[in-house]
Amino acid sequence: MGTVSAETVPAELWALAEQVTAAVRLVGAGLAARRPAAPTPAATGEEAGARFAEIDGPAAAELRERLSALHPRAGWVPEELDGSMPAEGEWWLCDATDGAVQYLLGQPHWAVTATLIRDGAAVLAVVHAPELGTGPGAGWTYQAVLGGGARLDGRAIAPLPRELAATVAGTSQPPFVAADPVALRRAGESLCAMAGAVPAVRNLGPTALQVAQVGSGHLALFWEYGRDAGNLLPGALIASEAGATVTDAAGAAWTAGSDSFLAAAPGLHADALGVLRVVR
């Protein structure tokens, strides 16, 4: 059997990515149609969780059905990972309603994500935000395949060079970060450090979407402390394929098991590392 050229693999992945994008957009359209215009009146965590389950459960089932039909040999990994990524085989990692808090509050910053993992590495990612953007087919759709670049709404993307003095930095926290006191302390220390170095720090919704925005230049950098592979993997592939520098907060290679994360435009990455070096 002949070898597969470097050009063939991205072409095959891009063909699958287009099919995945169509499936993700259908799920996103259904969720957008069902999203309440006003904030969901859930006064307790239990009420909010129940309301979210009513919406996310059917959407997740639909996404799983559609992706399984497209690529049936891939298994499924839990949405929330602790860094223990399957080392062999192909696996889907998906989130039908990434940004549950924003969704329930009637805000547009939420997304549907789908990532294909192959032998422990993300090789395809789609992050679709149905309620961002304007015009026909409204919604931002990020796509990336390993070795094939990254796109936003079909156009190739790249991070924009900026100085720290002209940077809006994004950040977030892993789910249940309070259970990790080290990550919680580092998040606080890094927020103080970064807020003193850039004009603004924002949490603009889903982690995957914010990291993808580094790839398209809508954000210049994003950082986070704590293990959060399930949320970081799709955006990390998009940002890195777009040309951003992706590492942990100390500058080492980022993996699913890393306890920190940094994505930044190449010319800004070293400066961002310098800001975060105060964190221990």
Side-chain angles (χ1 to χ4, degrees):
M1 185 169 62
T3 58
V4 178
S5 71
E7 293 78 12
T8 301
V9 174
E12 292 175 352
L13 283 173
W14 272 120
L16 179 58
E18 293 296 339
Q19 295 176 305
V20 172
T21 297
V24 164
R25 283 175 170 163
L26 284 171
V27 174
L31 282 163
R34 294 190 296 274
R35 185 181 65 77
T40 299
T44 68
E46 183 177 356
E47 290 175 351
R51 177 60 179 142
F52 177 68
E54 292 175 4
I55 297 167
D56 182 71
E62 180 187 355
L63 184 60
R64 183 165 185 154
E65 180 181 359
R66 291 184 180 280
L67 295 185
S68 293
L70 289 176
H71 199 60
R73 69 173 178 264
W76 289 79
V77 295
E79 176 186 326
E80 304 300 344
L81 297 178
D82 59 3
S84 55
M85 179 64 58
E88 297 181 351
E90 293 187 319
W91 303 84
W92 286 116
L93 174 69
C94 301
D95 193 343
T97 320
D98 190 13
V101 172
Q102 289 81 16
Y103 183 93
L104 292 176
L105 290 175
Q107 298 178 5
H109 295 278
W110 57 276
V112 184
T113 73
T115 308
L116 182 64
I117 309 296
R118 179 177 293 164
D119 296 333
V123 297
L124 180 158
V126 175
V127 175
H128 174 56
E131 297 189 283
L132 297 180
T134 59
W140 284 359
T141 305
Y142 287 93
Q143 305 164 296
V145 301
L146 185 64
R151 302 171 182 171
L152 171 59
D153 295 337
R155 300 184 300 275
I157 56 174
L160 294 179
R162 283 187 173 87
E163 298 179 347
L164 282 175
T167 292
V168 174
T171 191
S172 188
Q173 302 83 38
F176 312 111
V177 67
D180 184 347
V182 174
L184 190 61
R185 173 181 56 78
R186 288 173 170 172
E189 292 177 357
S190 64
L191 179 59
C192 289
M194 194 64 73
V198 302
V201 175
R202 298 288 185 265
N203 185 332
L204 298 174
T207 295
L209 180 59
Q210 292 189 84
V211 179
Q213 287 177 303
V214 175
S216 60
H218 290 87
L219 285 174
L221 70 90
F222 176 93
W223 89 97
E224 184 178 281
Y225 283 91
R227 288 180 172 82
D228 195 15
N231 289 314
L232 288 166
L233 276 164
L237 179 64
I238 293 166
S240 62
E241 283 296 326
T245 302
V246 176
T247 67
D248 68 11
W254 181 80
T255 69
S258 297
D259 63 1
S260 62
F261 179 88
L262 173 63
L268 186 65
H269 187 266
D271 291 338
L273 283 177
V275 173
L276 295 177
R277 284 198 180 101
V278 302
V279 181
R280 295 291 181 262

